[in-house]
Amino acid sequence: MKVVKLEDIIGTDQEVDDGNWVSRRLILKQDNMGYSVHDTIIRAGTETHIWYKNHLETVYCIEGEGEVETLSDNKIHPISADTVYALDKHDDHMLRATKDMRMICVFNPPLSGREVHDENGVYPVDDE
Ligand code: 9YT
């Protein structure tokens, strides 16, 4: 069994800061679970374009406040503590935080660790 503590991830290369957000990557591809698990802070006042064409992501907001706008229909989905959203259609979206949001994120396929969004909000496929 594997036990991971957030305090042991902070300050290592499993902590990735993209400016709008900082992602602490707790479980990764190399852990062979078939998914990755991240504890991510989305910073208040930010707006991030995200489009995970190559991944499915489920996000559980445990603190904070903001919204997701799905760009196919311009629908606004308010997000606050105790809310889950699942990008089951690889939804192209904008993520906005009005208060710092703490999110538990699960990715399938798993990330390998250092990914940051490209100019279209996409993470590359890790086909190694
Ligand atoms: C909620 C979300 O997708 N934020 C962007 C960062 C991502 N969760 C990650 O890489 O952990």
Side-chain angles (χ1 to χ4, degrees):
M1 198 184 84
K2 183 170 175 131
V3 176
V4 179
K5 291 182 76 73
L6 179 61
E7 66 194 40
D8 296 333
I9 299 294
I10 290 171
T12 71
D13 64 1
Q14 282 180 231
E15 181 179 44
V16 176
D17 192 329
D18 197 37
N20 286 4
W21 49 262
V22 58
S23 176
R24 289 78 60 93
R25 295 174 171 168
L26 302 164
I27 296 291
L28 287 166
K29 181 180 179 186
Q30 42 274 37
D31 295 310
N32 294 316
M33 297 299 290
Y35 52 79
S36 58
V37 179
H38 317 173
D39 179 328
T40 301
I41 308 289
I42 312 294
R43 295 192 170 104
T46 62
E47 174 179 78
T48 307
H49 177 218
I50 300 175
W51 193 3
Y52 295 130
K53 296 181 196 185
N54 305 314
H55 298 83
L56 295 167
E57 186 196 25
T58 294
V59 181
Y60 183 30
C61 177
I62 57 171
E63 283 172 27
E65 230 168 74
E67 64 182 31
V68 172
E69 178 177 356
T70 40
L71 296 180
S72 59
D73 55 7
N74 296 113
K75 201 165 169 210
I76 305 276
H77 307 266
I79 306 295
S80 58
D82 306 340
T83 308
V84 171
Y85 65 91
L87 300 165
D88 60 340
K89 298 185 176 64
H90 300 276
D91 310 68
D92 187 9
H93 63 286
M94 299 294 294
L95 175 61
R96 304 185 183 99
T98 46
K99 294 185 185 157
D100 277 4
M101 288 197 284
R102 187 168 177 200
M103 313 289 230
I104 307 303
C105 310
V106 177
F107 279 79
N108 168 25
L111 300 199
S112 53
R114 298 301 301 163
E115 289 91 343
V116 291
H117 297 150
D118 71 11
E119 67 281 8
N120 299 312
V122 178
Y123 286 148
V125 188
D126 180 0
D127 50 12
E128 276 172 31

